[in-house]
Amino acid sequence: MKALTYQGPGKKGWVEKEKPGIQKPTDVIVKITKTTICGTDLHILKGDVPAVTEGRTLGHEGVGVVEEVGSAVRNFKKGDAVLISCITSCGSCPNCKRQLYSHCSDGGWILGHLIDGTQAEYVRIPHGDNSLYPIPEGADEEALVMLSDILPTGFEIGVLAGQVKPGDSIAIVGAGPVGMAVLLTAQFYSPGRIIMIDTDEARLEMARQFGATDTLTVGKDDVIASVMDMTDGLGVDVAIEAVGVPATFDTCQKIVSAGGNIANVGVHGTAVDLHIEELWIKNINISMGLVNTNTTPMLMKTLQSGKVKPEQLITHRFKLGEIEQAYEVFGNASREKAMKVILTQ
């Protein structure tokens, strides 16, 4: 089979690789029909995730058709259409029993990280019964790819952890795919004001179409002063960081209101300054984490009902064999006006 592999910092290749087989009775082999590229994949290619070794197949999102099942798999059979979760979970360890699937003792985020991932013709899914979801008949598979990772990430780590409530003023710092997922799912709770902050005006225009009430352009607007103006000098109830760099986290610290919440969603590769000398007196909460995907079944129902439309985030489509071109487009998102790409086998 063909697979997109990491070949050291700054290097990747669409190469021939052995098709995966069943290794444990709980394994499921899935033939990929659609997958995508995540910002985390770009971090890996830069060498920011040293646990990823040369030769690793990248990718942790996708949908497909079951090719083969291990002897202990009960919920799936050959030919079933499935959604692949970015998080692998055994379902029985202490953390899984607390729905902390991201910290499963025999799973977590391992696809495209510690084991071969989904940017290939086939993928092995450990603990298939707990790490795959059946696709309802007639469902939009492109939309479902967004439920592998970015939609539950934005919802769980941004909206739920940030405790978004009806009438709240919220600011989302970063209008990339995960920031947009926060924007889409925050509207479940009817916040009174949603301020989207980014450097890219094309993405901010998209954010307005998706429900942002206000947008601010970094480098053009005085972001801090503008947010304080919009909130009568109080700051926002919830500040959500969706980039993963010190400057954006610092923005959140400066715009959060007394009694507010900072929800860090972005993947940080370097230290940030925590201004505890200013924040200790403000009675705020700071949250961060890795998605657990425990909300995926609920999000699938909202997608089926039409309450959320994550397919809006898809801007480019490629054949799976064009994945290197897709990386070029996704890696130059501002130039290409790219949000999410879909790769179809």
Side-chain angles (χ1 to χ4, degrees), residues 133-335:
Y133 296 89
I135 293 179
E137 191 172 346
D140 183 339
E141 289 194 353
E142 290 191 347
L144 283 170
V145 173
M146 306 299 110
L147 266 67
S148 282
D149 182 359
I150 63 166
L151 215 68
T153 294
F155 183 51
E156 293 173 24
I157 310 303
V159 178
L160 294 183
Q163 301 177 50
V164 174
K165 300 183 298 300
D168 274 356
S169 58
I170 72 172
I172 303 166
V173 186
V178 171
M180 291 294 195
V182 174
L183 171 62
L184 292 176
T185 56
Q187 292 172 73
F188 294 162
Y189 295 92
S190 301
R193 191 164 208 163
I194 305 175
I195 307 164
M196 185 66 85
I197 301 167
D198 201 271
T199 57
D200 189 325
E201 294 193 348
R203 287 188 164 188
L204 292 175
E205 174 56 35
M206 187 179 290
R208 283 190 286 271
Q209 295 170 19
F210 293 170
T213 58
D214 305 272
T215 57
L216 294 170
T217 307
V218 177
K220 177 181 174 184
D221 298 313
D222 185 332
V223 169
I224 310 301
S226 296
V227 170
M228 300 312 285
D229 248 3
M230 292 175 182
T231 57
D232 298 323
L234 297 174
V236 293
D237 298 303
V238 188
I240 300 170
E241 197 285 333
V243 181
V245 297
T248 49
F249 184 80
D250 193 48
T251 295
C252 290
Q253 294 185 85
K254 290 175 178 173
I255 62 176
V256 68
S257 68
N261 297 282
I262 297 175
N264 184 91
V265 187
V267 177
H268 287 265
T270 188
V272 302
D273 289 326
L274 176 65
H275 289 293
I276 198 167
E277 78 283 1
E278 298 173 7
L279 296 175
W280 75 268
I281 203 170
K282 292 182 72 172
N283 297 72
I284 68 158
N285 296 300
I286 301 176
S287 61
M288 61 197 74
L290 183 60
V291 65
N292 288 302
T293 65
N294 58 297
T295 64
T296 300
M298 182 274 283
L299 289 169
M300 288 183 76
K301 290 177 183 177
T302 64
L303 187 151
Q304 286 298 98
S305 70
K307 298 294 184 186
V308 65
K309 297 179 179 178
E311 65 274 14
Q312 298 173 99
L313 302 178
I314 300 165
T315 54
H316 293 73
R317 292 169 175 84
F318 298 90
K319 292 292 185 184
L320 185 59
E322 300 170 328
I323 192 166
E324 291 184 286
Q325 181 187 346
Y327 261 96
E328 181 67 21
V329 168
F330 188 70
N332 293 281
S334 181
R335 184 188 74 199

Side-chain angles (χ1 to χ4, degrees), residues 107-153:
W109 172 44
I110 57 175
L111 287 173
H113 178 208
L114 305 179
I115 68 170
D116 286 342
T118 59
Q119 291 171 10
E121 293 177 326
Y122 295 89
V123 62
R124 179 179 71 92
I125 306 296
H127 303 296
D129 277 337
N130 298 293
S131 308
L132 296 170
Y133 296 89
I135 293 179
E137 191 172 346
D140 183 339
E141 289 194 353
E142 290 191 347
L144 283 170
V145 173
M146 306 299 110
L147 266 67
S148 282
D149 182 359
I150 63 166
L151 215 68
T153 294

Side-chain angles (χ1 to χ4, degrees), residues 4-45:
L4 193 285
T5 61
Y6 172 70
Q7 298 178 354
K11 300 176 184 175
K12 64 184 181 300
W14 179 241
V15 301
E16 195 68 35
K17 196 166 182 175
E18 186 178 352
K19 180 183 171 183
I22 298 292
Q23 295 181 18
K24 295 182 178 180
T26 52
D27 286 350
V28 174
I29 307 301
V30 177
K31 180 179 181 179
I32 293 294
T33 54
K34 296 184 189 297
T35 186
T36 186
I37 302 168
C38 180
T40 305
D41 298 320
L42 300 184
H43 277 287
I44 291 170
L45 285 171

